[in-house]
Amino acid sequence: MSRAVHPGAWWLWALGLAAVASRATNPVVLGLVIAVAGFVAVTCRQDTPWADSYGVFFKFGLAVLGIRVLFHVVLGGVDGPTVLLDLPEVPLPDWARGIRLGGPLTAEGLVFALCQGLQLATLLCCVGAANALANAKRLLRSLPAALYEVSVAVVVAMTVAPQLVAGARSVRRARALRGDVVRGVRAVKLLLVPVLEDAFERSLVLAAAMDSRGYGRNAGLPTRTRVLTGFLVLGGLLGLCIGAYALLDTGTFGVWMLAAGVVLSAAGLWTGSRRVRRSRYRPDTWGLREAVVVASGLVAAVMAFLGPDLVMPTVPLTAPDLPLLPALGLLCALAPVLIADRKRT
């Protein structure tokens, strides 16, 4: 049986695509990011309950895009010389000065809102691709033991969306077998309660399974060790904060504080890992495929930052171009298609 790609590699690959999207408002580049994320998610997904998460996040992104445009039409924002529609403006009291309801709707402002909404939708698609490809429970086993409580909460939060998707698919299949073909808004009303109930039951089962496997149990370390761990972690965080702030100055104090913060944090993680005892069955390892997946996302992010500015000007309006270097980086992000396992049919 072939080994699936490490879930951490999928998340790092998705973060690389998200870094490209965070720097761009060019709709051509954002469309490429959505296409790459969607193609890899559909091609490389496994036969898992959360394999259809990308489609849900894509629809959610479309809803966010529509809401962003609606807010611009109602509240205004960026203006321009090209007026498309002159909406009636609602007068507001003096304490609401600076806020506008209605008024002229310009083509420049509408394009600006579309680009910003598309950027948010692209970020959601990147998260959806990671949810469709990565197994959150396997990811939990790979995190440092010192971050167990935090990582458990993060992983449980990350599994909410995939569980909702799996629950919705199961409920729809069950209703279809009974001859219920209701669609649209009425179908949402019928699906909402059973889907939420199923997600709640899955969460309880997950919590019970984690408790039975010893998650959250301490190893009974002495008080001195726990105090030392807290001192090292808090000291490390304080050093990192002071060092990051001191980097704004030209001296070397910030560098030394950052180095001290990193050392203290690493020592705190090492001592904190001793308070959690756990065993691993078939531990996930990193190999050549994980390196290729991470490198492809990293190449896309680096080439986007090395390339030209990806912010599309809206005043005056110009046609979006296709920057060559970021486009080549996004093509490199398709490398997982060549090495990852395909969905079993």
Side-chain angles (χ1 to χ4, degrees):
M1 183 177 63
S2 60
R3 184 177 62 86
V5 176
H6 196 287
W10 284 125
W11 272 102
L12 292 176
W13 170 82
L15 287 177
L17 294 183
V20 179
S22 66
R23 192 174 179 270
T25 58
N26 188 325
V28 177
V29 177
L30 295 175
L32 271 178
V33 174
I34 294 175
V36 169
F39 184 70
V40 174
V42 172
T43 306
C44 302
R45 61 184 177 177
Q46 297 289 309
D47 190 11
T48 56
W50 52 84
D52 296 332
S53 299
Y54 182 80
V56 177
F57 277 86
F58 182 77
K59 294 175 183 176
F60 186 46
L62 291 179
V64 170
L65 175 61
I67 292 173
R68 177 65 183 90
V69 174
L70 179 63
F71 268 86
H72 174 76
V73 172
V74 175
L75 300 176
V78 175
D79 293 326
T82 311
V83 178
L84 297 177
L85 192 61
D86 195 4
L87 298 173
E89 187 168 352
V90 179
L92 296 176
D94 293 338
W95 56 266
R97 186 174 301 169
I99 302 176
R100 191 188 72 185
L101 285 179
L105 175 64
T106 64
E108 291 81 3
L110 189 60
V111 171
F112 179 78
L114 280 170
C115 291
Q116 280 205 328
L118 185 60
Q119 187 181 33
L120 295 174
T122 306
L123 291 173
L124 286 172
C125 288
C126 295
V127 176
N131 271 283
L133 295 169
N135 187 335
K137 296 175 184 176
R138 287 179 55 204
L139 182 62
L140 172 63
R141 296 186 302 184
S142 305
L143 294 176
L147 304 176
Y148 231 43
E149 286 81 3
V150 177
S151 57
V152 168
V154 171
V155 169
V156 171
M158 287 167 51
T159 54
V160 170
Q163 286 179 357
L164 288 176
V165 173
R169 190 170 60 178
S170 301
V171 174
R172 287 181 58 186
R173 186 181 302 158
R175 298 189 72 87
L177 290 174
R178 296 169 186 164
D180 188 355
V181 293
V182 178
R183 296 183 181 276
V185 180
R186 188 159 175 256
V188 174
K189 294 180 180 178
L190 295 175
L191 292 176
L192 185 60
V193 173
V195 168
L196 291 178
E197 183 181 359
D198 183 70
F200 182 68
E201 290 180 354
R202 286 171 183 262
S203 300
L204 290 179
V205 171
L206 175 62
M210 294 172 70
D211 181 69
S212 65
R213 286 166 173 79
Y215 281 80
R217 297 177 188 172
N218 295 327
L221 293 179
T223 306
R224 183 184 301 176
T225 305
R226 294 200 298 269
V227 173
L228 177 62
T229 301
F231 172 76
L232 291 174
V233 172
L234 291 178
L237 291 176
L238 188 62
L240 290 175
C241 294
I242 295 177
Y245 182 74
L247 282 180
L248 299 175
D249 198 359
T250 56
T252 59
F253 175 74
V255 178
W256 287 107
M257 286 301 296
L258 273 180
V262 170
V263 172
L264 289 177
S265 299
L269 292 177
W270 180 75
T271 56
S273 301
R274 298 166 54 195
R275 66 189 177 87
V276 178
R277 293 176 179 174
R278 62 178 180 179
S279 59
R280 292 179 179 175
Y281 176 66
R282 289 193 306 182
D284 294 316
T285 57
W286 286 72
L288 180 60
R289 292 193 303 170
E290 284 78 7
V292 172
V293 171
V294 175
S296 62
L298 185 62
V299 167
V302 170
M303 293 182 79
F305 279 87
L306 293 179
D309 191 8
L310 301 180
V311 177
M312 178 180 168
T314 55
V315 181
L317 281 177
T318 55
D321 56 348
L322 177 61
L324 182 61
L325 198 59
L328 290 176
L330 290 173
L331 290 179
C332 294
L334 290 171
V337 175
L338 304 176
I339 58 171
D341 294 334
R342 309 298 176 85
K343 182 178 180 179
R344 300 183 182 90
T345 57

